[in-house]
Amino acid sequence: MRKIILLTLLAAVATPVAAQAQSQAEVRRSQRDLREEQRDLNQAYRSGDPRRIRDERDDVRDARQELREDRRDRDRAWGRDDWRGYRDRNAGLYARGGWRAPFRYNAFRSGVRIAPAYYGPRYFIADPWRYRLPPARGYQRWVRHYDDVLLVDTRRGVVIDVYRGFWR
């Protein structure tokens, strides 16, 4: 009986980890498929065949949709949507008023390199666990940029993750 309980507990712990690894692999596979479809579309443009171009555009559109779905599934598996429900239940915590910086708003994307002025110490979120944000590791810091929250690698100045409309 004890072995059965231990095996059940082990399976319960291992299942989410396996799901996370699988969802990340699916995202990588979808990204690779999208690159291949875009490469095929570029070849179709070079050939000049309108029918082939139309077919390749449809394939690229389908690959983009699949990538979006895989990313959404991965985010659910990782619990990234956890802060949204928490924000709805604790609206006062997120009601910080209109916050403005001495620079204009930019809609940053993941992978973009930004200037140090955007992620200076005065913009760090000192307590990300309070807002149910995933932990920042190493040189990564959560930074507020108007109503958005950015996860920035402070060594390189690269945006790793973006939560848009976080403070609304």
Side-chain angles (χ1 to χ4, degrees), residues 28-164:
R28 277 195 222 107
R29 196 173 312 114
S30 293
Q31 287 173 331
R32 188 177 34 221
D33 291 346
L34 177 60
R35 281 193 303 270
E36 290 172 4
E37 294 298 341
Q38 287 174 330
R39 197 174 307 124
D40 292 344
L41 177 61
N42 289 337
Q43 289 175 352
Y45 278 128
R46 278 188 232 114
S47 73
D49 182 12
R51 185 176 301 135
R52 184 174 170 209
I53 291 172
R54 185 174 50 249
D55 292 342
E56 293 299 336
R57 279 185 186 159
D58 291 342
D59 292 344
V60 168
R61 187 179 314 116
D62 293 342
R64 283 186 181 141
Q65 179 63 32
E66 185 174 336
L67 178 60
R68 276 192 296 271
E69 290 170 0
D70 288 343
R71 283 181 175 159
R72 197 173 306 124
D73 292 343
R74 178 201 59 194
D75 291 347
R76 283 192 195 112
W78 288 4
R80 263 190 74 179
D81 293 338
D82 184 25
W83 65 269
R84 287 188 176 94
Y86 182 76
R87 179 182 62 182
D88 293 341
R89 292 186 305 276
N90 300 292
L93 180 64
Y94 292 84
R96 297 286 183 179
W99 184 84
R100 299 291 175 251
F103 39 78
R104 68 184 182 94
Y105 173 78
N106 287 305
F108 293 118
R109 296 176 290 117
S110 297
V112 172
R113 185 178 301 264
I114 61 176
Y118 290 104
Y119 58 89
R122 69 185 275 195
Y123 306 116
F124 288 173
I125 298 175
D127 50 357
W129 58 89
R130 181 177 182 198
Y131 304 106
R132 300 296 193 266
L133 289 168
R137 294 179 175 32
Y139 290 97
Q140 299 173 355
R141 297 287 182 264
W142 285 105
V143 177
R144 181 167 185 174
H145 180 65
Y146 287 81
D147 284 341
D148 299 344
V149 175
L150 312 173
L151 181 61
V152 179
D153 180 348
T154 57
R155 284 181 304 171
R156 299 177 298 143
V158 174
V159 176
I160 298 168
D161 205 354
V162 178
Y163 290 159
R164 300 202 190 285

